[in-house]
Amino acid sequence: MSRSLRAALLLLLTAMIWGAAFVAQDVAADALEPFTFNGLRMVLAALTLVPVIAYRHARQCRAAAAAPAAERPALLPHDPAQRRFLLLGGLCCGVMLALGSGFQQLGINAGVQAGKAGFITALYIVLVPLTGLFFGKRPQPLVWLAVVLSAIGLYLLCMQGGFVLESGDVLLLLCALSFTGHILVVDHVGARVDGVKLSCIQFAVTAVICLTIAAFTEHPTWADVKTAAIPILYAGILSGGVGYTLQIVAQKDIDPTIASLIMCLESVFAVLFGWLLLGDAMSPREYLGCAVMMLGILLAQLPGRKEA
């Protein structure tokens, strides 16, 4: 099996894990308030990556011990500036992730179905190239077509009985904007630091933010936590720790445009798992909105392939 095919399969698995996470979040919304749930899942996500980081560090130490003395500094770098950059990058990523996950869970708690939530969240695929306008990057014509199609799809999916967005839909739009900021921060920071360490730090920061908000605004009980234990474990260990680690590993061997195309399938899996596990049934109009939005999301990626 080629490295690129292996990477594509890992990313497909990642999209499947993330899609099913919307179902876990939907189930957890019946028992836990949003910031308590997000705080607990992010603690688990950070703890999941600690053994990975420890294992990789041990491998580096063994490689350094076996290498000539002149090569050891390169194998075990200790650059304070690099460390500060990693911590600052993790802090910024954690803040954006806290906003994105918070708005997402608030929207799901407001009653938005798992599949619908997945598609609205996936708007970040279109929003990312649009933000390039503020940095002097002009999107190609297909991106503008993608924006129009996504807007039409969003209308069909969210607008019911006139030009009124439901409160949950607005929260998920804010979630998509927050994840857009998160992607841009990762794009700026990720190439210069260890991706697994960056993920671990961002999860820890997000956990602190969410649990602090929960301590002042929510009233969880141990019984509620036990009721939502399986969704918390899934969203924390699999969706968080495993999902993000698979993404980091896979993206080293595949074109980023193709990677984003595969990962945006999380919205399709969200609809599929919502139907299979929760019995969610959207109207034909809403399914049409999903299809039009997916077409817009896919079109938004095509100019990137030409630039690669």
Side-chain angles (χ1 to χ4, degrees), residues 56-69 71-72 75-76:
R56 295 176 67 192
H57 181 70
R59 286 186 60 184
Q60 287 179 327
C61 290
R62 288 195 297 268
E71 298 178 9
R72 290 175 188 172
L75 293 172
L76 288 172

Side-chain angles (χ1 to χ4, degrees), residues 8 40 66 101 113 122 125 181 216 226 301 303:
L40 293 175
S101 60
Q113 292 180 355
I125 302 293
F216 288 98
K226 288 195 295 183
Q301 305 308 304

Side-chain angles (χ1 to χ4, degrees), residues 141-180:
L142 272 178
V143 175
W144 293 116
L145 177 59
V147 172
V148 173
L149 286 173
S150 297
I152 294 172
L154 187 64
Y155 174 82
L156 293 172
L157 184 62
C158 301
M159 300 294 189
Q160 305 295 334
F163 290 93
V164 178
L165 276 171
E166 299 292 335
S167 59
D169 299 335
V170 174
L171 290 167
L172 287 166
L173 286 173
L174 292 173
C175 159
L177 287 169
S178 300
F179 279 132
T180 298

Side-chain angles (χ1 to χ4, degrees), residues 29 32-39 101-102 104-107 109 210 214 218:
L32 281 180
E33 292 170 290
F35 288 102
T36 299
F37 172 74
N38 277 334
S101 60
Q104 186 180 75
Q105 194 62 28
L106 284 167
N109 279 43
C210 290
E218 299 176 355

